Amino acid sequence: MYDGSSVRAAYDGISAWLGQTTPEDRRLKAREAEVLFRRIGITFAVYNEGGDPERLIPFDIIPRILDAAAWALLERGLAQRVTALNAFLLDAYNGGEITRAGRIPTSLIVGNPGFRPEMQGFRPPAGAYTHVSGIDIVRTAPDRFYVLEDNCRTPSGVSYMLENREAMLRLFPDLIAAHRIAPISRYPEELLETLRDAAPPACQGNPVIALLTPGQYNSAYYEHSFLADEMGIELVEGADLLVDGDVVFMRTTQGPRRVDVLYRRLDDEFLDPLAFRSDSMLGVPGLFRAYRAGSITLANAVGTGIADDKGIYPFVPEMIRFYLGEEPILCNVPTWRCAEADDRAYVLEHLGELVVKETRGSGGYGMLVGPCSTKEERALFASKLRARPCDYIAQPTLALSTCPTFVESGIAPRHVDLRPFVLFGSTVRIVAGGLTRVALREGSLVVNSSQGGGTKDTWVLEA
Amino acid sequence: MLARTADSLFWLARYMERAENVARILQVACRMASMSRSIGNGSNEWLSTLVAAGCEDDFAAVHGDAEPSARAALHYLARDPSNPSSICSCFETARRNARAVRTALTVDMWEALNETWIGARSFGERDFEPDRVAVFLDWVKHRSLLFHGAYANTMLRNDAYYFTQLGTFIERADNTARILDVKYHVLLPAADPVGGALDYYQWQSILRSVSALRSYHWIYRETLKPWHLAEMLILRPEMPRSLRSCYAQITRYLGLVAETYDNRRGECHRLAGEIDARLRVGRIEDVFQCGLHEFLTEIIDDTAVLGQNIAEFYLVS
């Protein structure tokens, strides 16, 4: 929020508002927000930790603001990045020019746990793999954005983006009216359009679209039902679907009904016990065969995990140059790949300054934040890293931007990141904003909700 | 619509209806328990309450065959998580079903169910003591009324609504039949030796349990007579909880579902029509002639079969 000593222009309105409200007012509003979220049932399941199985993600009432120029830059960068990621996926499963050109090591693709050999030689409709991606971004300077992570499988969080705005509209109508904020409520329609675009060639007429959820015990179940509801499509579980003659049907009160596009929020390995994990009870036997036969589109495509892996991440700028012939607009965080001897040596020597991550880890688990770590933690991590160097990468801790946040002691700066959602179909669609996550603990860089992070409404100001 | 969605709507409505009925039965039991003490009769209201709720065997399995105490029966029927028909379990199940099909619910319906679930968890052990439980039971009734209002006022009149209504009325028919069946001995004609002051209060309590005491006086303009009472709850079309009313609604909504789906009909339509006809043309004299208990047992069994037929025809495919 602060730009040197003066308040950044975009925050003028908020700053004035904060000056007028009393701590009592703000506490009251924060409580109201909590009641609101609890009543709507916007919850996040945290497993294996005891306590409330349906936990609320803390919501901070002070919005995070991006001005129009910053957003324009970000939007171009996101479209560029996602276009390149899709080109990479198509290439990786159909010939692999980029590996033959020596720009990405083959081992990173075929040795990747997200790699699905069954996808080789298959082209999904329009070459679209990541119909929905969530790109995690941090900002270090006004026009400098770094991508932390690409999420190309089944990224979640968009319902929080939408509900956070609804909560703000309800709690602070005057404050919102005093700003020109880009609306975001079109997202479900844009998603529906993207899914329609993806209909398989076999589909005649208006495609029947459904959202496949693992069920109500999944941590993102609220989001699944919310999106299905907003799009007016059926929310199905594996048991609601059946495959007959390579065609997918859902069981309805009037008998089987054909499905053309499945927005699946179920990981690859659980999709089809005949093709992947045979012990999965969540999937649909024969679904993958129907997919390969071209009778149904899965969004996102199967096997996209090879594009968002932490091992492949350092190569994304290279993909942008290779497929698009452009220079990347968004930066990659410099990354040391511990599989490389030189990199490994550097990382082991500088553990105290770096963030070390497991390539397969997610949710903020399995990482070492060097500057906040103890000597013992570093020693433990060093031995794990030596044992399986391929499993680790390391990055410098960036001077992340902070955002004023309402905490116990009052208002204080906290680190934030941003997950904008990029829709990729016949065209790239991005709703102006994203999910802002905030690290609620002082000094913490970890914003994951599973690690006690919270969220904020994200405002993109219109020019 | 998805078969699973219809199934969840059907069952969430059944469980909300069941919660309300258990609350009504418990309200009567509390009243009768204090009264039987003052009349000095010594009968155990709590046992017949467990019977009415269809829980006596499961209760005995947990607590043994001793006379149930007020506290144990209240706990078992109002909040015990091991009893799937306890009020709190009903709310839990209803909410779980609702959550599984949120997209089929209106926002108001969801909020009514979700707030009920949250509210039920905020009652503590002390709130279920015999001298305090009235507050909880009133609350349950209000929540049920709110749920009915929410869905009646906000749902589209389509198949989702029809299945919700079917769940409500199948459960209600079952519950009305059970309440009557448990008390059938006090409804036998007055010559029966069981009669007396206690019986009179029991008749009255049956009517109270279905909020029909005033309606009784409106219809019959007489003192309480057992055969009137039985007629009212079995055969009177204007009484919303009577078996006849329930079956009028069941046949109506089954018919609407069939119309929605190209007039496809099955065994459930036939059976519902048959029971409906029995209730429409029946006379209370004949019911008593053949045996009230036998008549009610048949309705309870037929209603269970009807529920299965509906499930086979629509809810699993």
Side-chain angles (χ1 to χ4, degrees):
Chain A
M1 166 169 166
Y2 300 97
D3 184 8
S5 57
S6 65
V7 177
R8 210 181 269 159
Y11 277 91
D12 282 349
I14 293 294
S15 169
W17 168 69
L18 285 174
Q20 286 160 12
T21 56
T22 67
E24 263 45 64
D25 291 342
R26 293 191 297 264
R27 249 189 285 278
L28 194 70
K29 288 292 185 184
R31 257 203 306 279
E32 235 176 90
E34 197 181 313
V35 169
L36 193 65
F37 282 106
R38 177 71 73 188
R39 198 176 51 158
I40 308 174
I42 306 177
T43 53
F44 177 86
V46 180
Y47 303 112
N48 309 324
E49 285 182 21
D52 188 354
E54 286 182 28
R55 201 173 294 178
L56 285 180
I57 296 186
F59 171 70
D60 183 61
I61 58 176
I62 307 176
R64 190 260 181 95
I65 304 181
L66 294 163
D67 62 33
W71 176 255
L73 176 76
L74 199 50
E75 197 175 24
R76 279 193 299 124
L78 289 166
Q80 180 195 51
R81 192 161 174 113
V82 170
T83 305
L85 287 168
N86 275 278
F88 165 71
L89 281 158
L90 186 64
D91 181 31
Y93 285 114
N94 290 278
E97 276 180 49
I98 197 164
T99 53
R100 273 187 280 120
R103 312 282 277 271
I104 294 182
T106 315
S107 63
L108 279 183
I109 297 174
V110 297
N112 190 305
F115 180 68
R116 299 282 160 213
E118 305 87 342
M119 285 294 287
Q120 279 172 311
F122 176 71
R123 283 168 183 264
Y129 283 81
T130 68
H131 306 83
V132 184
S133 0
I135 310 292
D136 291 345
I137 303 274
V138 289
R139 185 184 202 177
T140 56
D143 54 356
R144 204 145 177 82
F145 292 100
Y146 283 86
V147 173
L148 281 183
E149 200 173 296
D150 304 291
N151 295 283
C152 297
R153 302 175 215 201
T154 54
S156 60
V158 79
S159 58
Y160 296 102
M161 168 181 99
L162 296 166
E163 294 287 15
N164 286 352
R165 177 65 53 82
E166 291 302 313
M168 292 298 282
L169 279 166
R170 198 175 152 133
L171 296 170
F172 306 105
D174 292 350
L175 181 65
I176 294 208
H179 291 79
R180 284 173 46 100
I181 307 166
I184 53 173
S185 57
R186 273 186 62 84
Y187 179 85
E189 265 179 50
E190 304 272 11
L191 174 59
L192 188 61
E193 281 306 303
T194 302
L195 295 171
R196 264 185 221 287
D197 282 355
C203 169
Q204 303 290 320
N206 208 0
V208 175
I209 305 172
L211 194 157
L212 176 64
T213 174
Q216 62 170 311
Y217 300 105
N218 184 271
S219 61
Y221 179 75
Y222 171 73
E223 174 153 310
H224 305 162
S225 64
F226 172 86
L227 287 175
D229 200 16
E230 293 274 313
M231 289 190 281
I233 64 176
E234 291 289 359
L235 178 67
V236 299
E237 295 179 13
D240 296 323
L241 299 178
L242 69 135
V243 179
D244 187 14
D246 285 354
V247 176
V248 182
F249 296 93
M250 53 187 172
R251 300 172 205 270
T252 78
T253 46
Q254 301 172 76
R257 180 166 187 223
R258 184 172 180 146
V259 183
D260 301 297
V261 180
L262 201 54
Y263 177 35
R264 52 93 173 205
R265 295 289 299 262
L266 186 61
D267 292 339
D268 286 356
E269 59 207 286
F270 299 106
L271 273 180
D272 180 350
L274 298 182
F276 308 111
R277 277 179 64 158
S278 57
D279 61 339
S280 169
M281 305 291 287
L282 302 171
V284 188
L287 180 60
F288 188 72
R289 207 181 56 230
Y291 178 53
R292 290 271 330 205
S295 76
I296 189 166
T297 297
L298 297 178
N300 290 351
V302 174
T304 55
I306 56 169
D308 66 6
D309 183 81
K310 290 188 181 75
I312 208 84
Y313 164 86
F315 296 93
V316 179
E318 201 53 33
M319 292 175 197
I320 294 171
R321 294 184 195 103
F322 185 79
Y323 296 112
L324 310 181
E326 298 171 7
E327 272 308 301
I329 297 165
L330 306 174
C331 318
N332 249 34
V333 183
T335 302
W336 290 275
R337 299 172 51 228
C338 299
E340 309 280 327
D342 291 354
D343 285 17
R344 182 164 64 243
Y346 179 87
V347 170
L348 285 168
E349 230 160 90
H350 297 84
L351 274 182
E353 304 153 26
L354 302 172
V355 179
V356 189
K357 299 174 178 172
E358 261 180 60
T359 52
R360 286 164 208 186
S362 67
Y365 293 101
M367 60 191 278
L368 176 82
V369 182
C372 315
S373 63
T374 64
K375 210 172 154 188
E376 289 73 30
E377 285 167 344
R378 285 195 295 276
L380 181 70
F381 231 82
S383 64
K384 288 204 288 188
L385 197 155
R386 280 196 193 92
R388 298 188 58 87
C390 303
D391 288 354
Y392 295 92
I393 57 156
Q395 295 170 334
T397 55
L398 302 176
L400 300 189
S401 65
T402 61
C403 184
T405 298
F406 188 42
V407 295
E408 276 303 303
S409 56
I411 296 165
R414 288 290 182 268
H415 291 300
V416 288
D417 79 352
L418 175 67
R419 175 179 288 185
F421 294 88
V422 183
L423 299 171
F424 187 85
S426 58
T427 172
V428 179
R429 300 176 170 96
I430 310 175
V431 169
L435 175 66
T436 292
R437 299 185 296 177
V438 53
L440 293 175
R441 262 171 298 153
E442 193 174 355
S444 172
L445 299 173
V446 184
V447 296
N448 299 75
S449 24
S450 46
Q451 308 284 308
T455 70
K456 287 168 169 289
D457 190 16
T458 312
W459 293 3
V460 172
L461 299 185
E462 291 184 323
Chain B
M1 74 192 304
L2 282 180
R4 179 174 54 86
T5 306
D7 185 65
S8 290
L9 288 169
F10 179 81
W11 280 104
L12 84 85
R14 282 196 76 155
Y15 275 102
M16 286 306 283
E17 182 69 22
R18 188 173 302 176
E20 180 186 334
N21 279 289
V22 174
R24 288 178 179 281
I25 292 171
L26 283 176
Q27 279 182 325
V28 173
C30 290
R31 195 184 159 83
M32 288 306 296
S34 44
M35 230 183 267
S36 58
R37 234 172 301 151
S38 63
I39 299 173
N41 175 285
S43 79
N44 191 324
E45 265 309 310
W46 296 105
L47 185 61
S48 73
T49 301
L50 287 160
V51 175
C55 291
E56 80 277 23
D57 291 342
D58 292 336
F59 180 85
V62 180
H63 295 271
D65 291 333
E67 289 265 290
S69 70
R71 179 168 294 143
L74 272 172
H75 173 82
Y76 191 74
L77 289 172
R79 74 185 299 229
D80 193 336
S82 76
N83 172 12
S85 291
S86 76
I87 293 171
C88 291
S89 294
C90 285
F91 286 155
E92 183 86 36
T93 312
R95 197 258 188 182
R96 193 167 57 239
N97 275 290
R99 195 160 178 270
V101 295
R102 270 191 71 154
T103 52
L105 306 181
T106 64
V107 171
D108 299 87
M109 263 175 104
W110 165 253
E111 288 187 0
L113 286 160
N114 193 41
E115 282 175 1
T116 300
W117 176 74
I118 294 167
R121 302 203 307 173
S122 70
F123 283 92
E125 188 153 3
R126 180 78 183 86
D127 296 312
F128 295 88
E129 297 287 318
D131 62 332
R132 288 268 286 269
V133 76
V135 174
F136 173 75
L137 297 175
D138 277 339
W139 177 80
V140 171
K141 244 164 61 179
H142 289 150
R143 297 310 301 182
S144 173
L145 292 170
L146 182 76
F147 169 71
H148 283 290
Y151 91 74
N153 286 358
T154 61
M155 274 185 103
L156 288 178
R157 271 24 179 190
N158 58 13
D159 44 358
Y161 178 73
Y162 305 154
F163 284 111
T164 309
Q165 290 283 53
L166 279 173
T168 299
F169 287 106
I170 293 247
E171 184 69 25
R172 188 175 295 175
D174 177 74
N175 282 286
T176 298
R178 279 175 192 283
I179 291 173
L180 278 175
D181 191 37
V182 169
K183 303 285 183 194
Y184 83 95
H185 62 91
V186 302
L187 290 173
L188 294 179
D192 195 279
V194 189
L198 183 66
D199 281 1
Y200 180 84
Y201 289 111
Q202 291 211 348
W203 300 335
Q204 203 187 48
S205 75
I206 296 171
L207 287 175
R208 275 183 202 280
S209 75
V210 293
S211 299
L213 190 54
R214 203 165 291 173
S215 309
Y216 177 94
H217 291 301
W218 183 255
I219 297 174
Y220 295 103
R221 312 214 173 262
E222 273 195 65
T223 53
L224 295 187
K225 301 267 171 52
W227 47 91
H228 282 336
L229 201 151
E231 182 191 55
M232 188 173 163
L233 287 178
I234 296 172
L235 299 175
R236 290 299 286 220
E238 61 271 65
M239 171 66 205
R241 307 189 78 89
S242 74
L243 293 175
R244 175 155 172 204
S245 282
C246 291
Y247 267 91
Q249 300 287 355
I250 292 167
T251 47
R252 170 157 183 249
Y253 287 107
L254 275 174
L256 286 168
V257 173
E259 276 171 36
T260 309
Y261 300 155
D262 307 324
N263 265 316
R264 209 165 60 90
R265 281 163 205 267
E267 173 60 19
C268 54
H269 297 87
R270 192 205 62 77
L271 179 59
E274 187 199 304
I275 304 169
D276 182 50
R278 210 186 303 161
L279 292 164
R280 245 180 315 120
V281 300
R283 289 188 310 188
I284 200 66
E285 293 81 359
D286 299 333
V287 169
F288 275 110
Q289 197 75 51
C290 303
L292 179 60
H293 174 63
E294 288 70 18
F295 179 85
L296 291 169
T297 307
E298 200 173 306
I299 290 275
I300 292 170
D301 291 346
D302 285 349
T303 303
V305 172
L306 177 61
Q308 285 160 16
N309 289 341
I310 292 174
E312 280 159 23
F313 200 65
Y314 289 118
L315 309 181
V316 287
S317 64

